[in-house]
Amino acid sequence: MTDELVHLEIDAGIATITLDSPANRNALSAQLRGELRDRLDTAIKSDQARVIVLTHTGTVFCAGMDLKESRGANAGTQGVNDFPDVLRLLWDSPTPVIARLAGPARAGGVGLVAACDLAVAVEQVTFAFTEVRIGVVPAVISVPLIPRVQPAALYQLFLTGEAFDARRAAEIGLISRAVPAEALDAEVLRYAEMLRLGAPSALAATKELMRGPASRTMGEDLAAMTKLSAARFASEEGQEGIRAFVEKRPPSWAV
């Protein structure tokens, strides 16, 4: 039997969902995506869960899509096609979701963070949109990122793939707080306790209010961006970039 890669525990009103695939840096493999979708659905439907915390084991929060699974796949079978289901669950969840990061996030992993309501990261944690460096585009994750992150900063970071730390992430609106490592759990709990003071239906209505028109068009936006993203993963450049990543060499355009 395949070991579970995503765990769910509900205690004292807090549903903790843990990515537990450290061997591949919690990459968004088919199994991890499916289990994350299922755990989120269970937590959202639970009457016992007032707050959801998305966290991880290992040194990396999430490295993005599992590129080994993307290698050789055509546009119709790329794993990115079902990733929007996970983002929609996070974004539309009536139960507030807090991302807890003790390690870095890349590409699709940053998309997970952006789809959460709040995020707390250790100051040394880094983020990057590495898509263009492997010949793909940050299309799907742009949907939750565009309404959250300062436009000029996102434009620069999408194009360059430059890594940035948690303090910068807080400055541009990607995360809520950057804290010392020893303060991470206390800060996540502080937010969780504040959220538990809110009435559940009032919190859900407030989320809908703040999302405004963007929340009503997210499905359409994700559908369009998924088509673009899958095509880029399957493109000649995308496949060359993925091969180069797996083979630990520069892609042809960077030589």
Side-chain angles (χ1 to χ4, degrees):
M1 180 178 291
T2 305
D3 291 338
E4 182 180 85
L5 299 183
V6 183
H7 314 304
L8 169 63
E9 179 182 356
I10 302 176
D11 181 55
I14 299 175
T16 302
I17 296 177
T18 305
L19 308 181
D20 186 20
S21 184
N24 71 345
R25 303 184 301 163
N26 290 317
L28 294 162
S29 63
Q31 181 185 345
L32 187 142
R33 293 192 308 273
E35 291 183 11
L36 178 54
R37 184 176 59 244
D38 292 345
R39 305 300 178 267
L40 282 168
D41 186 60
T42 299
I44 290 168
K45 291 177 178 176
S46 172
D47 293 334
Q48 305 302 312
R50 296 287 310 282
V51 180
I52 298 170
V53 174
L54 178 62
T55 186
H56 63 103
T57 64
T59 59
V60 177
F61 174 75
C62 178
M65 297 302 297
D66 189 329
L67 296 182
K68 291 182 179 179
E69 293 183 351
S70 298
R71 188 174 182 178
N74 62 38
T77 58
Q78 286 290 339
V80 72
N81 286 300
D82 61 23
F83 186 42
D85 293 339
V86 174
L87 296 181
R88 266 193 296 266
L89 280 171
L90 289 168
W91 187 265
D92 292 334
S93 169
T95 307
V97 185
I98 305 170
R100 173 196 175 276
L101 290 86
R106 296 290 185 268
V110 189
L112 291 179
V113 175
C116 295
D117 299 294
L118 303 170
V120 182
V122 171
E123 291 169 335
Q124 290 76 24
V125 162
T126 61
F127 304 83
F129 305 108
T130 51
E131 287 87 348
V132 294
R133 297 191 178 188
I134 60 166
V136 300
V137 295
V140 172
I141 64 172
S142 73
V143 179
L145 279 159
I146 286 173
R148 185 174 296 281
V149 177
Q150 293 176 6
L154 190 61
Y155 190 91
Q156 171 199 336
L157 295 166
F158 269 179
L159 289 179
T160 64
E162 179 183 21
F164 55 103
D165 64 19
R167 290 183 179 178
R168 175 67 171 149
E171 290 173 358
I172 64 177
L174 174 61
I175 67 172
S176 309
R177 289 290 306 276
V179 297
E182 63 271 17
L184 178 62
D185 289 328
E187 187 66 1
V188 170
L189 182 59
R190 186 178 75 87
Y191 274 117
E193 292 297 334
M194 287 192 292
L195 290 168
R196 286 175 54 182
L197 294 175
S201 62
L203 288 169
T206 301
K207 282 187 58 171
E208 186 174 353
L209 172 70
M210 294 302 295
R211 299 280 158 79
S215 66
R216 293 191 289 274
T217 63
M218 189 182 197
E220 295 174 353
D221 289 346
L222 281 171
M225 292 301 99
T226 300
K227 184 177 180 180
L228 171 61
S229 187
R232 287 302 309 176
F233 269 97
S235 70
E236 183 177 342
E237 280 186 346
Q239 288 298 301
E240 163 59 12
I242 291 167
R243 285 193 299 271
F245 178 85
V246 173
E247 296 168 7
K248 295 181 172 55
R249 60 171 175 82
S252 58
W253 59 81
V255 175

